[in-house]
Amino acid sequence: MLNSKTINCRGILLSLENPVVMGILNVTPDSFSDGGKFLNEKDALIHCENMLSEGATIIDIGAVSTKPFADEISFEDEKKRLQNIVPTLVKTFPNAIFSVDTFRSEIARIAVNEGVSIINDISGGQADETMFQTIGELQVPYVMMHTKGMPKTMQVEPTYDDVMNELMMFFSKQIAGAHQAGVVDIIVDPGFGFGKNLEHNYEILSKLERFQILEKPVMTGVSRKSMIRNLLNVDLENTLTGTTVANSIALLKGANILRVHDVKEAVQAVKIIEKIRKK
């Protein structure tokens, strides 16, 4: 039996006992940090190559902006954006592990058929009732993220009686449903900035080790987010230090995957934290 921290990426067994870095490749015109930068094939390929050379283990491709207050795009637009770049990426980097960030089960199916190995669902199965069944059929790892509401409304005064308790209840329920549908490899993501205010985000970060009770790998995505910008009162271009500190805290508290824009610095953080752990 495989270790619970090992995931099967279309025949490639990826161990997450030592944390890995997931680099972000947004092929959108309006993502909060890099919207519009990688819309054409040449720029996307160069960025992907750079992230892989800097040490990214996984490349996460996003064709839908999920920033706060973003409008939802159509199925056809999401499909077109992905089909314009995914086959080329898979062909150009045949040894890379690609993920697609989508909450639509049919997009997930198309992406996997094009060679993608992981599906990253910001809704954790809430947006599409057939997602778990689809992932069960496809037999690929599934990132189950928590969000309260969808991007258009999620940051309109989000409230919780107990944010950690609500997240634990959510994951327990969704993991059970996913397993029942045949999903084998599940990675949990608490969803920093998705239906959470500043205090919620830092409470989750401070208690991140509690997710170990779920016995699933944990992914965190704090890169360049408003929880960094607003606390430090910095603009987007000056979030790297805060992001690196938050990533390091996440690693110390058990994160297995860091989803980031800045791969080199995240890989360096992993190396330092792992060196400390082995002493």
Side-chain angles (χ1 to χ4, degrees), residues 157-217:
E157 298 184 11
T159 57
Y160 299 83
D161 291 331
D162 182 325
V163 65
M164 287 300 295
N165 185 53
E166 189 163 324
L167 264 65
M168 286 297 183
M169 290 179 66
F170 167 83
F171 283 122
S172 296
K173 177 185 175 183
Q174 296 299 95
I175 287 170
H179 280 323
Q180 190 172 10
V183 181
V184 176
D185 293 324
I186 299 171
I187 299 152
V188 300
D189 179 347
F192 289 100
F194 282 77
K196 289 114 182 155
N197 63 26
L198 190 74
E199 295 305 315
H200 297 144
N201 287 320
Y202 282 99
E203 181 175 355
I204 295 166
L205 183 60
S206 71
K207 299 174 180 176
L208 194 71
E209 71 277 2
R210 294 191 184 180
F211 292 105
Q212 300 299 314
I213 197 172
L214 298 171
E215 298 184 334
K216 302 293 181 189

Side-chain angles (χ1 to χ4, degrees), residues 3-247:
N3 186 290
S4 63
K5 296 292 174 65
T6 298
I7 59 174
N8 187 342
C9 301
R10 296 168 65 102
I12 298 172
L13 297 181
L14 176 61
S15 172
L16 301 176
E17 284 295 327
N18 294 325
V20 303
V21 172
M22 173 188 280
I24 298 168
L25 176 59
N26 285 320
V27 289
T28 60
D30 55 347
S31 290
F32 82 91
S33 176
D34 53 6
K37 287 186 177 181
F38 310 114
L39 289 178
N40 73 65
E41 182 178 289
K42 180 181 177 182
D43 290 339
L45 288 169
I46 291 171
H47 187 49
C48 181
E49 183 175 26
N50 288 341
M51 290 192 291
L52 290 170
S53 69
E54 289 177 345
T57 300
I58 305 165
I59 302 297
D60 190 44
I61 309 162
V64 176
S65 173
T66 53
K67 67 182 180 181
F69 310 110
D71 291 320
E72 186 175 314
I73 70 166
S74 70
F75 169 88
E76 288 300 326
D77 283 345
E78 183 180 7
K79 176 182 174 182
K80 182 178 179 180
R81 288 177 186 176
L82 287 173
Q83 289 187 323
N84 281 343
I85 191 61
V86 169
T88 304
L89 286 168
V90 171
K91 182 179 179 180
T92 306
F93 307 103
N95 298 319
I97 296 173
F98 289 100
S99 165
V100 157
D101 183 351
T102 186
F103 52 81
R104 294 182 168 113
S105 63
E106 279 309 301
I107 294 292
R109 190 181 297 279
I110 291 167
V112 171
N113 287 339
E114 294 283 7
V116 166
S117 301
I118 301 171
I119 297 300
N120 179 14
D121 179 5
I122 65 157
S123 82
Q126 298 177 97
D128 187 333
E129 62 183 14
T130 64
M131 180 62 89
F132 291 166
Q133 179 185 340
T134 301
I135 299 298
E137 293 170 4
L138 296 172
Q139 285 296 293
V140 292
Y142 175 67
V143 180
M144 176 185 286
M145 198 189 84
H146 173 272
T147 184
K148 195 163 189 174
M150 292 300 280
K152 184 73 174 176
T153 59
M154 66 188 181
Q155 288 304 102
V156 181
E157 298 184 11
T159 57
Y160 299 83
D161 291 331
D162 182 325
V163 65
M164 287 300 295
N165 185 53
E166 189 163 324
L167 264 65
M168 286 297 183
M169 290 179 66
F170 167 83
F171 283 122
S172 296
K173 177 185 175 183
Q174 296 299 95
I175 287 170
H179 280 323
Q180 190 172 10
V183 181
V184 176
D185 293 324
I186 299 171
I187 299 152
V188 300
D189 179 347
F192 289 100
F194 282 77
K196 289 114 182 155
N197 63 26
L198 190 74
E199 295 305 315
H200 297 144
N201 287 320
Y202 282 99
E203 181 175 355
I204 295 166
L205 183 60
S206 71
K207 299 174 180 176
L208 194 71
E209 71 277 2
R210 294 191 184 180
F211 292 105
Q212 300 299 314
I213 197 172
L214 298 171
E215 298 184 334
K216 302 293 181 189
V218 176
M219 184 170 91
T220 58
V222 299
S223 182
R224 303 182 184 177
K225 287 188 174 177
S226 63
M227 65 179 282
I228 309 292
R229 304 196 305 271
N230 293 343
L231 182 68
L232 302 181
N233 194 27
V234 295
D235 58 19
L236 194 61
E237 287 69 35
N238 291 289
T239 54
L240 182 55
T241 299
T243 296
T244 302
V245 172
N247 279 335

